[in-house]
Amino acid sequence: MLTIDMIRAASETLRGVSRVTPLLESELLNQKLGFRLIIKPECLQETGSFKIRGAYTKIATLRPRERAAGVVAFSSGNHAQGVAKAASMLNVQASIVMPSDAPTIKLQRTAEYGANVITYDREKEDRAMIASDIAGCTGAILIPPYDDFVLMSGQGTVGLEIIEQLAQLNIRPDALFCPVGGGGLIAGVATTFAALSERTSVHPVEPEYFDDTARSLAQATRVANTPGISSICDSIVTQIPGKLTFAINQKLLSEGFVVKEAEVIAGMKALFEEFKIVAEPGGAVAVSAAVKRRQDWAGKVVVAIVSGGNVDRESFCRWIM
């Protein structure tokens, strides 16, 4: 299970490791929206996304014999970098299975953090099977991208920070919007809010055609996305919600929101123009949903998590232009 005590313990593990990212807001944007929008820019986190939190928390719990065997992970980029950096900090060898068409900056940074990068063809090969084979051959410990309670406790520290920071400002949020792929971040955040800010509704946000969490919540069972479709939101593209994450999210989440790619880009523009923040598409979807659904939150306080900022310069410029 995932508990608030586990998240608090993870917060202590991460002290001095992960950054306490700030809360930001724009008075001009708030006036345009008609409600108070506060962002939590995890794109400013070590490795450019929230993933370092869960990865470090998980690897730090491994026994010496397990650390000596190394770790292996599969990811399109953000989890890859989080595991690579965390492993480097803990003197553990890491092998990362990444799609060959992942953004160049994510491939480069993962290697720069000291990991052995193994690329695959996402159209023809199974990344989980490749990682499993490596673990079987080498004894390396698999660090899953989301379906692990210890990992989720690390991600949940994002929510703990938000609640503590809002309390210092004497602000009570009405809703929280969070990008969702496999569901680990929002499971941790929702667990924290259920324990410490129960009146706040927590909403998953996903790109069009990859709304498996929203549809799973509506149907009360895990449902998959249609294969063969692509999205600019590569960091949160998954085929089906995690088994462990969905068990938590089904109990704690409110309505899921879906945004089109043009709306995602509008969110990226808003973050760049109003906050001077560079966000990757998947990291911007929560802000995109807030901008899209402005009429629903008139006079309210909404917190939106910006989950990552690992985007190629050329792609970013092309999208926002």
Side-chain angles (χ1 to χ4, degrees), residues 18-25 37-45 49-50 53 155-166 176-179 185 189 193 271 275 277 279 283-284 286-287 302-308:
S18 62
R19 295 170 182 163
V20 178
T21 54
L23 295 183
L24 304 175
E25 63 180 315
L37 176 64
I38 300 173
I39 70 165
K40 176 72 166 172
E42 281 293 289
C43 51
L44 302 180
Q45 186 56 257
S49 86
F50 70 95
R53 296 175 182 265
Q155 320 300 33
T157 61
V158 176
L160 193 61
E161 285 180 13
I162 291 171
I163 289 172
E164 292 172 348
Q165 290 167 319
L166 289 175
L176 181 137
F177 291 9
C178 182
L185 172 61
V189 170
F193 272 76
L271 284 164
F275 298 98
I277 289 291
V287 171
V302 175
V303 178
I305 296 174
V306 181
S307 57

Side-chain angles (χ1 to χ4, degrees), residues 263-301:
E263 293 163 345
V264 172
I265 293 170
M268 293 170 67
K269 287 182 178 180
L271 284 164
F272 182 73
E273 293 171 355
E274 304 296 339
F275 298 98
K276 313 311 175 190
I277 289 291
V278 173
E280 62 190 272
V285 296
V287 171
S288 303
V291 172
K292 174 183 178 180
R293 303 178 67 95
R294 66 185 69 185
Q295 293 85 356
D296 297 343
W297 303 99
K300 304 291 187 180
V301 177

Side-chain angles (χ1 to χ4, degrees), residues 146-147 182 222 240-248:
Y146 44 82
D147 237 3
R222 290 195 302 153
I240 192 169
K243 183 177 181 181
L244 300 182
T245 58
F246 186 68
I248 296 169

Side-chain angles (χ1 to χ4, degrees), residues 141-306:
I141 304 300
L142 179 64
I143 308 297
Y146 44 82
D147 237 3
D148 181 277
F149 292 126
V150 174
L151 189 108
M152 283 185 259
S153 71
Q155 320 300 33
T157 61
V158 176
L160 193 61
E161 285 180 13
I162 291 171
I163 289 172
E164 292 172 348
Q165 290 167 319
L166 289 175
Q168 292 174 0
L169 299 171
N170 198 29
I171 298 172
R172 299 181 65 185
D174 295 288
L176 181 137
F177 291 9
C178 182
V180 175
L185 172 61
I186 200 169
V189 170
T191 297
T192 305
F193 272 76
L196 304 177
S197 186
E198 189 177 7
R199 67 181 290 274
T200 305
S201 60
V202 179
H203 300 269
V205 184
E206 299 165 291
E208 189 177 27
Y209 306 121
F210 290 92
D211 55 341
D212 46 302
T213 293
R215 289 184 294 112
S216 296
L217 291 173
Q219 298 180 38
T221 187
R222 290 195 302 153
V223 295
N225 295 311
T226 302
I229 300 175
S230 62
S231 171
I232 63 173
C233 301
D234 67 290
S235 63
I236 58 171
V237 167
T238 53
Q239 285 304 113
I240 192 169
K243 183 177 181 181
L244 300 182
T245 58
F246 186 68
I248 296 169
N249 292 332
Q250 186 177 18
K251 297 177 182 177
L252 301 181
L253 300 188
S254 297
E255 177 189 5
F257 301 143
V258 181
V259 288
K260 298 179 180 180
E261 289 198 344
E263 293 163 345
V264 172
I265 293 170
M268 293 170 67
K269 287 182 178 180
L271 284 164
F272 182 73
E273 293 171 355
E274 304 296 339
F275 298 98
K276 313 311 175 190
I277 289 291
V278 173
E280 62 190 272
V285 296
V287 171
S288 303
V291 172
K292 174 183 178 180
R293 303 178 67 95
R294 66 185 69 185
Q295 293 85 356
D296 297 343
W297 303 99
K300 304 291 187 180
V301 177
V302 175
V303 178
I305 296 174
V306 181

